[in-house]
Amino acid sequence: GGITMSLTPKQVYEAIAASPYGGEQTNQTWSDVDPSLPDQPILVYGPPSTSGTRDALKELVLEVGCDTNPEMEALKETDKDRHAQLCTEVRSDGAYVDQGEQDNLIVQKIEGNPNAVGVFGYSYLEENADKVQGLEMNGVAPTYENIASFAYPGARPLYVYAKKAHLDAIPGLREYLLQWTKMWDKDGELAKIGLVASPADVMAANLKAATEYTTLDGAQLK
């Protein structure tokens, strides 16, 4: 069983923001957010403010949902701090529960309460597929392929940058970069700690960058 719904960043934002679009947070159930969603209390177990997963939740989901509102998007230009506060601060009335850095605890909480929603790394979903189910976002399921291709809105890449001037100045840097290329396969060391491997074409381009030291011109960073 458990709660099933396909969410959008906008709905997630309206459900767990402390002050949606600068107004009062009055949503108690998912159906308060959107009548098409289940009439179940909003209860989201997620990462604390110190966590990288929380940063991903803020940037990829909450801000995206918040900026569907033209006033909020305009606020980004005029008052960055206020925009960040209204768009990324989560409610503290018990509907969002900061579960510490332990993703396995979040899984246990959801197992104990089938109507709760959790925010955690993909590897925990994969390992506990018999206990928890992934929720679609924008109609896209959180599968390995959808995360690898960034079709799933909550997916983000891990970047490693090196300064060309440092390649010879810092002993071991070339070897360090080469080591990444040996660890990022689907069955590599990075996959073992929960990272999702890039598609083959992206991996080939990254291998070239890590071994031929191609220079970034800035366009790739936009």
Side-chain angles (χ1 to χ4, degrees):
I3 199 166
T4 54
M5 48 186 173
S6 180
L7 294 165
T8 63
K10 179 176 185 281
Q11 289 166 338
V12 175
Y13 170 73
E14 289 176 9
I16 65 171
S19 176
Y21 315 120
E24 195 188 342
Q25 175 55 278
T26 57
N27 294 321
Q28 297 304 317
T29 64
W30 288 102
S31 56
D32 287 342
V33 173
D34 190 311
S36 68
L37 297 175
D39 187 16
Q40 291 290 346
I42 296 164
L43 177 58
V44 178
Y45 289 101
S49 53
T50 49
S51 147
T53 308
R54 176 77 158 259
D55 290 338
L57 175 66
K58 284 179 173 181
E59 288 167 33
L60 303 175
V61 180
L62 297 179
E63 277 195 40
V64 171
C66 180
D67 285 340
T68 58
N69 178 300
E71 282 175 38
M72 291 297 110
E73 201 174 21
L75 186 64
K76 192 173 5 182
E77 303 303 318
T78 57
D79 190 342
K80 218 173 175 57
D81 291 344
R82 178 84 176 136
H83 175 268
Q85 184 191 4
L86 295 181
C87 288
T88 67
E89 205 174 289
V90 295
R91 56 199 295 182
S92 56
D93 59 358
Y96 180 92
V97 183
D98 173 336
Q99 203 44 62
E101 297 278 5
Q102 299 294 319
D103 283 0
N104 53 338
L105 283 181
I106 296 180
V107 171
Q108 286 169 19
K109 291 278 188 185
I110 298 168
E111 224 189 325
N113 182 348
N115 291 321
V117 172
V119 179
F120 49 87
Y122 172 74
S123 59
Y124 289 89
L125 177 61
E126 198 175 31
E127 285 164 24
N128 297 283
D130 55 332
K131 301 174 187 154
V132 294
Q133 57 191 353
L135 296 185
E136 289 183 357
M137 194 172 293
N138 288 346
V140 179
T143 62
Y144 197 99
E145 288 69 28
N146 288 341
I147 291 168
S149 68
F150 302 114
Y152 181 71
R156 62 172 178 168
L158 172 68
Y159 290 113
V160 175
Y161 301 104
K163 227 175 171 176
K164 267 197 172 170
H166 290 166
L167 287 171
D168 295 313
I170 297 173
L173 185 56
R174 287 174 193 269
E175 293 78 1
Y176 175 75
L177 292 175
L178 191 63
Q179 186 62 33
W180 280 94
T181 70
K182 295 173 180 169
M183 293 165 63
W184 66 31
D185 293 322
K186 215 166 180 174
D187 55 357
E189 295 300 315
L190 293 170
K192 286 181 192 147
I193 58 162
L195 276 73
V196 168
S198 297
D201 57 335
V202 176
M203 223 181 275
N206 288 338
L207 179 64
K208 198 171 156 68
T211 51
E212 295 177 20
Y213 316 114
T214 42
T215 308
L216 286 170
D217 64 5
Q220 300 97 325
L221 305 177
K222 290 195 173 117

PDB file of all heavy atoms in Angstrom, residues 30-63:
ATOM      1  N   TRP A  30      -2.615  16.756   1.496  1.00  0.00           N
ATOM      2  CA  TRP A  30      -2.178  16.898   0.103  1.00  0.00           C
ATOM      3  C   TRP A  30      -3.307  17.451  -0.753  1.00  0.00           C
ATOM      4  O   TRP A  30      -3.073  18.215  -1.686  1.00  0.00           O
ATOM      5  CB  TRP A  30      -1.682  15.545  -0.429  1.00  0.00           C
ATOM      6  CG  TRP A  30      -0.370  15.154   0.170  1.00  0.00           C
ATOM      7  CD1 TRP A  30      -0.157  14.253   1.171  1.00  0.00           C
ATOM      8  CD2 TRP A  30       0.923  15.682  -0.165  1.00  0.00           C
ATOM      9  NE1 TRP A  30       1.180  14.197   1.482  1.00  0.00           N
ATOM     10  CE2 TRP A  30       1.864  15.053   0.671  1.00  0.00           C
ATOM     11  CE3 TRP A  30       1.365  16.627  -1.094  1.00  0.00           C
ATOM     12  CZ2 TRP A  30       3.235  15.336   0.604  1.00  0.00           C
ATOM     13  CZ3 TRP A  30       2.726  16.908  -1.167  1.00  0.00           C
ATOM     14  CH2 TRP A  30       3.648  16.274  -0.318  1.00  0.00           C
ATOM     15  N   SER A  31      -4.563  17.079  -0.406  1.00  0.00           N
ATOM     16  CA  SER A  31      -5.692  17.586  -1.197  1.00  0.00           C
ATOM     17  C   SER A  31      -5.934  19.085  -0.953  1.00  0.00           C
ATOM     18  O   SER A  31      -6.544  19.757  -1.786  1.00  0.00           O
ATOM     19  CB  SER A  31      -6.963  16.776  -0.926  1.00  0.00           C
ATOM     20  OG  SER A  31      -7.270  16.763   0.442  1.00  0.00           O
ATOM     21  N   ASP A  32      -5.430  19.625   0.171  1.00  0.00           N
ATOM     22  CA  ASP A  32      -5.473  21.083   0.369  1.00  0.00           C
ATOM     23  C   ASP A  32      -4.596  21.777  -0.677  1.00  0.00           C
ATOM     24  O   ASP A  32      -4.899  22.870  -1.145  1.00  0.00           O
ATOM     25  CB  ASP A  32      -4.937  21.483   1.759  1.00  0.00           C
ATOM     26  CG  ASP A  32      -5.905  21.126   2.889  1.00  0.00           C
ATOM     27  OD1 ASP A  32      -7.086  20.895   2.608  1.00  0.00           O
ATOM     28  OD2 ASP A  32      -5.454  21.068   4.049  1.00  0.00           O
ATOM     29  N   VAL A  33      -3.484  21.134  -1.009  1.00  0.00           N
ATOM     30  CA  VAL A  33      -2.546  21.680  -1.992  1.00  0.00           C
ATOM     31  C   VAL A  33      -3.178  21.621  -3.374  1.00  0.00           C
ATOM     32  O   VAL A  33      -3.140  22.581  -4.141  1.00  0.00           O
ATOM     33  CB  VAL A  33      -1.216  20.881  -1.987  1.00  0.00           C
ATOM     34  CG1 VAL A  33      -0.298  21.328  -3.117  1.00  0.00           C
ATOM     35  CG2 VAL A  33      -0.518  21.021  -0.645  1.00  0.00           C
ATOM     36  N   ASP A  34      -3.762  20.461  -3.690  1.00  0.00           N
ATOM     37  CA  ASP A  34      -4.370  20.242  -5.000  1.00  0.00           C
ATOM     38  C   ASP A  34      -5.467  19.190  -4.838  1.00  0.00           C
ATOM     39  O   ASP A  34      -5.183  18.091  -4.358  1.00  0.00           O
ATOM     40  CB  ASP A  34      -3.297  19.762  -5.988  1.00  0.00           C
ATOM     41  CG  ASP A  34      -3.803  19.737  -7.418  1.00  0.00           C
ATOM     42  OD1 ASP A  34      -4.896  19.183  -7.646  1.00  0.00           O
ATOM     43  OD2 ASP A  34      -3.097  20.255  -8.304  1.00  0.00           O
ATOM     44  N   PRO A  35      -6.699  19.524  -5.220  1.00  0.00           N
ATOM     45  CA  PRO A  35      -7.824  18.591  -5.025  1.00  0.00           C
ATOM     46  C   PRO A  35      -7.625  17.229  -5.689  1.00  0.00           C
ATOM     47  O   PRO A  35      -8.247  16.253  -5.293  1.00  0.00           O
ATOM     48  CB  PRO A  35      -9.016  19.323  -5.667  1.00  0.00           C
ATOM     49  CG  PRO A  35      -8.597  20.748  -5.783  1.00  0.00           C
ATOM     50  CD  PRO A  35      -7.110  20.775  -5.859  1.00  0.00           C
ATOM     51  N   SER A  36      -6.712  17.166  -6.674  1.00  0.00           N
ATOM     52  CA  SER A  36      -6.479  15.883  -7.352  1.00  0.00           C
ATOM     53  C   SER A  36      -5.597  14.944  -6.519  1.00  0.00           C
ATOM     54  O   SER A  36      -5.486  13.755  -6.813  1.00  0.00           O
ATOM     55  CB  SER A  36      -5.816  16.121  -8.705  1.00  0.00           C
ATOM     56  OG  SER A  36      -4.501  16.613  -8.522  1.00  0.00           O
ATOM     57  N   LEU A  37      -4.977  15.477  -5.467  1.00  0.00           N
ATOM     58  CA  LEU A  37      -4.089  14.666  -4.627  1.00  0.00           C
ATOM     59  C   LEU A  37      -4.872  14.031  -3.482  1.00  0.00           C
ATOM     60  O   LEU A  37      -5.957  14.478  -3.139  1.00  0.00           O
ATOM     61  CB  LEU A  37      -2.945  15.538  -4.085  1.00  0.00           C
ATOM     62  CG  LEU A  37      -2.000  16.138  -5.138  1.00  0.00           C
ATOM     63  CD1 LEU A  37      -0.994  17.070  -4.490  1.00  0.00           C
ATOM     64  CD2 LEU A  37      -1.284  15.046  -5.933  1.00  0.00           C
ATOM     65  N   PRO A  38      -4.326  12.977  -2.861  1.00  0.00           N
ATOM     66  CA  PRO A  38      -5.056  12.255  -1.807  1.00  0.00           C
ATOM     67  C   PRO A  38      -5.378  13.117  -0.589  1.00  0.00           C
ATOM     68  O   PRO A  38      -4.619  14.024  -0.237  1.00  0.00           O
ATOM     69  CB  PRO A  38      -4.098  11.128  -1.410  1.00  0.00           C
ATOM     70  CG  PRO A  38      -3.086  11.045  -2.493  1.00  0.00           C
ATOM     71  CD  PRO A  38      -3.020  12.382  -3.148  1.00  0.00           C
ATOM     72  N   ASP A  39      -6.481  12.796   0.047  1.00  0.00           N
ATOM     73  CA  ASP A  39      -6.899  13.486   1.269  1.00  0.00           C
ATOM     74  C   ASP A  39      -6.164  12.852   2.452  1.00  0.00           C
ATOM     75  O   ASP A  39      -6.755  12.167   3.272  1.00  0.00           O
ATOM     76  CB  ASP A  39      -8.426  13.368   1.433  1.00  0.00           C
ATOM     77  CG  ASP A  39      -8.930  14.207   2.606  1.00  0.00           C
ATOM     78  OD1 ASP A  39      -8.185  15.083   3.074  1.00  0.00           O
ATOM     79  OD2 ASP A  39     -10.062  13.961   3.056  1.00  0.00           O
ATOM     80  N   GLN A  40      -4.861  13.049   2.478  1.00  0.00           N
ATOM     81  CA  GLN A  40      -4.001  12.489   3.524  1.00  0.00           C
ATOM     82  C   GLN A  40      -3.137  13.606   4.097  1.00  0.00           C
ATOM     83  O   GLN A  40      -2.718  14.497   3.358  1.00  0.00           O
ATOM     84  CB  GLN A  40      -3.074  11.410   2.942  1.00  0.00           C
ATOM     85  CG  GLN A  40      -3.773  10.133   2.492  1.00  0.00           C
ATOM     86  CD  GLN A  40      -4.307   9.320   3.647  1.00  0.00           C
ATOM     87  OE1 GLN A  40      -3.952   9.562   4.799  1.00  0.00           O
ATOM     88  NE2 GLN A  40      -5.184   8.361   3.364  1.00  0.00           N
ATOM     89  N   PRO A  41      -2.869  13.552   5.407  1.00  0.00           N
ATOM     90  CA  PRO A  41      -2.043  14.605   6.020  1.00  0.00           C
ATOM     91  C   PRO A  41      -0.671  14.696   5.351  1.00  0.00           C
ATOM     92  O   PRO A  41      -0.102  13.678   4.955  1.00  0.00           O
ATOM     93  CB  PRO A  41      -1.888  14.152   7.468  1.00  0.00           C
ATOM     94  CG  PRO A  41      -2.954  13.148   7.700  1.00  0.00           C
ATOM     95  CD  PRO A  41      -3.273  12.527   6.377  1.00  0.00           C
ATOM     96  N   ILE A  42      -0.178  15.922   5.202  1.00  0.00           N
ATOM     97  CA  ILE A  42       1.175  16.119   4.675  1.00  0.00           C
ATOM     98  C   ILE A  42       2.161  15.713   5.763  1.00  0.00           C
ATOM     99  O   ILE A  42       2.151  16.266   6.869  1.00  0.00           O
ATOM    100  CB  ILE A  42       1.400  17.595   4.281  1.00  0.00           C
ATOM    101  CG1 ILE A  42       0.459  17.986   3.124  1.00  0.00           C
ATOM    102  CG2 ILE A  42       2.860  17.838   3.894  1.00  0.00           C
ATOM    103  CD1 ILE A  42       0.326  19.489   2.920  1.00  0.00           C
ATOM    104  N   LEU A  43       2.973  14.710   5.459  1.00  0.00           N
ATOM    105  CA  LEU A  43       4.024  14.289   6.390  1.00  0.00           C
ATOM    106  C   LEU A  43       5.228  13.883   5.553  1.00  0.00           C
ATOM    107  O   LEU A  43       5.203  12.859   4.862  1.00  0.00           O
ATOM    108  CB  LEU A  43       3.560  13.123   7.272  1.00  0.00           C
ATOM    109  CG  LEU A  43       4.617  12.567   8.235  1.00  0.00           C
ATOM    110  CD1 LEU A  43       5.153  13.649   9.178  1.00  0.00           C
ATOM    111  CD2 LEU A  43       4.059  11.397   9.047  1.00  0.00           C
ATOM    112  N   VAL A  44       6.253  14.713   5.592  1.00  0.00           N
ATOM    113  CA  VAL A  44       7.443  14.480   4.766  1.00  0.00           C
ATOM    114  C   VAL A  44       8.655  14.328   5.682  1.00  0.00           C
ATOM    115  O   VAL A  44       8.972  15.215   6.470  1.00  0.00           O
ATOM    116  CB  VAL A  44       7.672  15.647   3.774  1.00  0.00           C
ATOM    117  CG1 VAL A  44       8.943  15.419   2.960  1.00  0.00           C
ATOM    118  CG2 VAL A  44       6.465  15.803   2.840  1.00  0.00           C
ATOM    119  N   TYR A  45       9.317  13.169   5.586  1.00  0.00           N
ATOM    120  CA  TYR A  45      10.581  12.951   6.287  1.00  0.00           C
ATOM    121  C   TYR A  45      11.705  13.296   5.326  1.00  0.00           C
ATOM    122  O   TYR A  45      11.749  12.783   4.211  1.00  0.00           O
ATOM    123  CB  TYR A  45      10.714  11.490   6.725  1.00  0.00           C
ATOM    124  CG  TYR A  45       9.778  11.114   7.841  1.00  0.00           C
ATOM    125  CD1 TYR A  45       8.596  10.417   7.592  1.00  0.00           C
ATOM    126  CD2 TYR A  45      10.069  11.479   9.152  1.00  0.00           C
ATOM    127  CE1 TYR A  45       7.727  10.084   8.615  1.00  0.00           C
ATOM    128  CE2 TYR A  45       9.204  11.157  10.184  1.00  0.00           C
ATOM    129  CZ  TYR A  45       8.040  10.455   9.916  1.00  0.00           C
ATOM    130  OH  TYR A  45       7.183  10.146  10.937  1.00  0.00           O
ATOM    131  N   GLY A  46      12.601  14.173   5.766  1.00  0.00           N
ATOM    132  CA  GLY A  46      13.649  14.594   4.841  1.00  0.00           C
ATOM    133  C   GLY A  46      14.933  14.958   5.541  1.00  0.00           C
ATOM    134  O   GLY A  46      15.052  14.862   6.760  1.00  0.00           O
ATOM    135  N   PRO A  47      15.900  15.398   4.741  1.00  0.00           N
ATOM    136  CA  PRO A  47      17.227  15.700   5.272  1.00  0.00           C
ATOM    137  C   PRO A  47      17.271  17.033   6.017  1.00  0.00           C
ATOM    138  O   PRO A  47      16.448  17.909   5.773  1.00  0.00           O
ATOM    139  CB  PRO A  47      18.088  15.766   4.012  1.00  0.00           C
ATOM    140  CG  PRO A  47      17.132  16.178   2.934  1.00  0.00           C
ATOM    141  CD  PRO A  47      15.804  15.607   3.290  1.00  0.00           C
ATOM    142  N   PRO A  48      18.251  17.181   6.931  1.00  0.00           N
ATOM    143  CA  PRO A  48      18.417  18.436   7.661  1.00  0.00           C
ATOM    144  C   PRO A  48      19.077  19.502   6.790  1.00  0.00           C
ATOM    145  O   PRO A  48      19.571  19.200   5.704  1.00  0.00           O
ATOM    146  CB  PRO A  48      19.341  18.047   8.812  1.00  0.00           C
ATOM    147  CG  PRO A  48      20.164  16.930   8.266  1.00  0.00           C
ATOM    148  CD  PRO A  48      19.272  16.181   7.310  1.00  0.00           C
ATOM    149  N   SER A  49      19.105  20.726   7.283  1.00  0.00           N
ATOM    150  CA  SER A  49      19.618  21.852   6.492  1.00  0.00           C
ATOM    151  C   SER A  49      21.108  21.722   6.190  1.00  0.00           C
ATOM    152  O   SER A  49      21.615  22.372   5.287  1.00  0.00           O
ATOM    153  CB  SER A  49      19.347  23.162   7.220  1.00  0.00           C
ATOM    154  OG  SER A  49      19.850  23.087   8.529  1.00  0.00           O
ATOM    155  N   THR A  50      21.816  20.853   6.930  1.00  0.00           N
ATOM    156  CA  THR A  50      23.259  20.688   6.726  1.00  0.00           C
ATOM    157  C   THR A  50      23.571  19.707   5.593  1.00  0.00           C
ATOM    158  O   THR A  50      24.729  19.507   5.245  1.00  0.00           O
ATOM    159  CB  THR A  50      23.896  20.132   8.012  1.00  0.00           C
ATOM    160  OG1 THR A  50      23.109  18.995   8.429  1.00  0.00           O
ATOM    161  CG2 THR A  50      23.926  21.154   9.112  1.00  0.00           C
ATOM    162  N   SER A  51      22.541  19.095   5.027  1.00  0.00           N
ATOM    163  CA  SER A  51      22.754  17.992   4.099  1.00  0.00           C
ATOM    164  C   SER A  51      22.774  18.420   2.634  1.00  0.00           C
ATOM    165  O   SER A  51      22.048  19.325   2.226  1.00  0.00           O
ATOM    166  CB  SER A  51      21.645  16.967   4.323  1.00  0.00           C
ATOM    167  OG  SER A  51      21.292  16.310   3.153  1.00  0.00           O
ATOM    168  N   GLY A  52      23.582  17.739   1.828  1.00  0.00           N
ATOM    169  CA  GLY A  52      23.626  17.993   0.390  1.00  0.00           C
ATOM    170  C   GLY A  52      22.312  17.616  -0.278  1.00  0.00           C
ATOM    171  O   GLY A  52      21.909  18.230  -1.267  1.00  0.00           O
ATOM    172  N   THR A  53      21.633  16.615   0.299  1.00  0.00           N
ATOM    173  CA  THR A  53      20.333  16.215  -0.255  1.00  0.00           C
ATOM    174  C   THR A  53      19.315  17.341  -0.061  1.00  0.00           C
ATOM    175  O   THR A  53      18.461  17.580  -0.911  1.00  0.00           O
ATOM    176  CB  THR A  53      19.832  14.916   0.422  1.00  0.00           C
ATOM    177  OG1 THR A  53      20.862  13.939   0.358  1.00  0.00           O
ATOM    178  CG2 THR A  53      18.593  14.373  -0.265  1.00  0.00           C
ATOM    179  N   ARG A  54      19.428  18.051   1.060  1.00  0.00           N
ATOM    180  CA  ARG A  54      18.538  19.183   1.310  1.00  0.00           C
ATOM    181  C   ARG A  54      18.811  20.301   0.287  1.00  0.00           C
ATOM    182  O   ARG A  54      17.885  20.939  -0.209  1.00  0.00           O
ATOM    183  CB  ARG A  54      18.744  19.695   2.738  1.00  0.00           C
ATOM    184  CG  ARG A  54      17.949  20.929   3.111  1.00  0.00           C
ATOM    185  CD  ARG A  54      16.461  20.635   3.397  1.00  0.00           C
ATOM    186  NE  ARG A  54      15.944  21.708   4.229  1.00  0.00           N
ATOM    187  CZ  ARG A  54      15.775  21.628   5.542  1.00  0.00           C
ATOM    188  NH1 ARG A  54      16.033  20.511   6.193  1.00  0.00           N
ATOM    189  NH2 ARG A  54      15.325  22.643   6.227  1.00  0.00           N
ATOM    190  N   ASP A  55      20.099  20.506  -0.038  1.00  0.00           N
ATOM    191  CA  ASP A  55      20.446  21.498  -1.066  1.00  0.00           C
ATOM    192  C   ASP A  55      19.788  21.139  -2.391  1.00  0.00           C
ATOM    193  O   ASP A  55      19.272  22.008  -3.098  1.00  0.00           O
ATOM    194  CB  ASP A  55      21.968  21.567  -1.268  1.00  0.00           C
ATOM    195  CG  ASP A  55      22.678  22.184  -0.070  1.00  0.00           C
ATOM    196  OD1 ASP A  55      22.025  22.917   0.691  1.00  0.00           O
ATOM    197  OD2 ASP A  55      23.885  21.926   0.108  1.00  0.00           O
ATOM    198  N   ALA A  56      19.810  19.846  -2.723  1.00  0.00           N
ATOM    199  CA  ALA A  56      19.184  19.394  -3.974  1.00  0.00           C
ATOM    200  C   ALA A  56      17.678  19.625  -3.922  1.00  0.00           C
ATOM    201  O   ALA A  56      17.072  20.086  -4.894  1.00  0.00           O
ATOM    202  CB  ALA A  56      19.489  17.921  -4.213  1.00  0.00           C
ATOM    203  N   LEU A  57      17.069  19.318  -2.784  1.00  0.00           N
ATOM    204  CA  LEU A  57      15.629  19.545  -2.607  1.00  0.00           C
ATOM    205  C   LEU A  57      15.308  21.028  -2.808  1.00  0.00           C
ATOM    206  O   LEU A  57      14.358  21.383  -3.515  1.00  0.00           O
ATOM    207  CB  LEU A  57      15.194  19.085  -1.211  1.00  0.00           C
ATOM    208  CG  LEU A  57      13.740  19.360  -0.805  1.00  0.00           C
ATOM    209  CD1 LEU A  57      12.765  18.549  -1.655  1.00  0.00           C
ATOM    210  CD2 LEU A  57      13.521  19.045   0.677  1.00  0.00           C
ATOM    211  N   LYS A  58      16.128  21.890  -2.221  1.00  0.00           N
ATOM    212  CA  LYS A  58      15.915  23.345  -2.347  1.00  0.00           C
ATOM    213  C   LYS A  58      16.031  23.804  -3.789  1.00  0.00           C
ATOM    214  O   LYS A  58      15.141  24.474  -4.316  1.00  0.00           O
ATOM    215  CB  LYS A  58      16.968  24.105  -1.525  1.00  0.00           C
ATOM    216  CG  LYS A  58      16.752  24.107  -0.029  1.00  0.00           C
ATOM    217  CD  LYS A  58      17.907  24.875   0.601  1.00  0.00           C
ATOM    218  CE  LYS A  58      17.733  25.086   2.082  1.00  0.00           C
ATOM    219  NZ  LYS A  58      18.857  25.861   2.634  1.00  0.00           N
ATOM    220  N   GLU A  59      17.158  23.456  -4.433  1.00  0.00           N
ATOM    221  CA  GLU A  59      17.456  23.994  -5.771  1.00  0.00           C
ATOM    222  C   GLU A  59      16.608  23.370  -6.875  1.00  0.00           C
ATOM    223  O   GLU A  59      16.153  24.059  -7.784  1.00  0.00           O
ATOM    224  CB  GLU A  59      18.933  23.760  -6.105  1.00  0.00           C
ATOM    225  CG  GLU A  59      19.882  24.634  -5.313  1.00  0.00           C
ATOM    226  CD  GLU A  59      21.321  24.151  -5.452  1.00  0.00           C
ATOM    227  OE1 GLU A  59      21.673  23.631  -6.518  1.00  0.00           O
ATOM    228  OE2 GLU A  59      22.082  24.271  -4.473  1.00  0.00           O
ATOM    229  N   LEU A  60      16.440  22.056  -6.804  1.00  0.00           N
ATOM    230  CA  LEU A  60      15.825  21.343  -7.929  1.00  0.00           C
ATOM    231  C   LEU A  60      14.310  21.230  -7.813  1.00  0.00           C
ATOM    232  O   LEU A  60      13.619  21.030  -8.805  1.00  0.00           O
ATOM    233  CB  LEU A  60      16.416  19.933  -8.038  1.00  0.00           C
ATOM    234  CG  LEU A  60      17.935  19.871  -8.189  1.00  0.00           C
ATOM    235  CD1 LEU A  60      18.413  18.433  -8.154  1.00  0.00           C
ATOM    236  CD2 LEU A  60      18.374  20.536  -9.484  1.00  0.00           C
ATOM    237  N   VAL A  61      13.801  21.340  -6.583  1.00  0.00           N
ATOM    238  CA  VAL A  61      12.362  21.150  -6.397  1.00  0.00           C
ATOM    239  C   VAL A  61      11.696  22.401  -5.824  1.00  0.00           C
ATOM    240  O   VAL A  61      10.830  22.995  -6.463  1.00  0.00           O
ATOM    241  CB  VAL A  61      12.085  19.917  -5.493  1.00  0.00           C
ATOM    242  CG1 VAL A  61      10.584  19.722  -5.294  1.00  0.00           C
ATOM    243  CG2 VAL A  61      12.706  18.657  -6.092  1.00  0.00           C
ATOM    244  N   LEU A  62      12.125  22.833  -4.642  1.00  0.00           N
ATOM    245  CA  LEU A  62      11.431  23.947  -3.979  1.00  0.00           C
ATOM    246  C   LEU A  62      11.542  25.254  -4.763  1.00  0.00           C
ATOM    247  O   LEU A  62      10.533  25.925  -5.006  1.00  0.00           O
ATOM    248  CB  LEU A  62      11.959  24.128  -2.549  1.00  0.00           C
ATOM    249  CG  LEU A  62      11.729  22.941  -1.610  1.00  0.00           C
ATOM    250  CD1 LEU A  62      12.313  23.223  -0.229  1.00  0.00           C
ATOM    251  CD2 LEU A  62      10.246  22.602  -1.488  1.00  0.00           C
ATOM    252  N   GLU A  63      12.752  25.621  -5.170  1.00  0.00           N
ATOM    253  CA  GLU A  63      12.912  26.882  -5.924  1.00  0.00           C
ATOM    254  C   GLU A  63      12.191  26.825  -7.265  1.00  0.00           C
ATOM    255  O   GLU A  63      11.583  27.802  -7.688  1.00  0.00           O
ATOM    256  CB  GLU A  63      14.400  27.196  -6.152  1.00  0.00           C
ATOM    257  CG  GLU A  63      15.039  27.874  -4.967  1.00  0.00           C
ATOM    258  CD  GLU A  63      16.386  28.514  -5.317  1.00  0.00           C
ATOM    259  OE1 GLU A  63      16.508  29.098  -6.412  1.00  0.00           O
ATOM    260  OE2 GLU A  63      17.297  28.416  -4.488  1.00  0.00           O
TER     261      GLU A  63
END
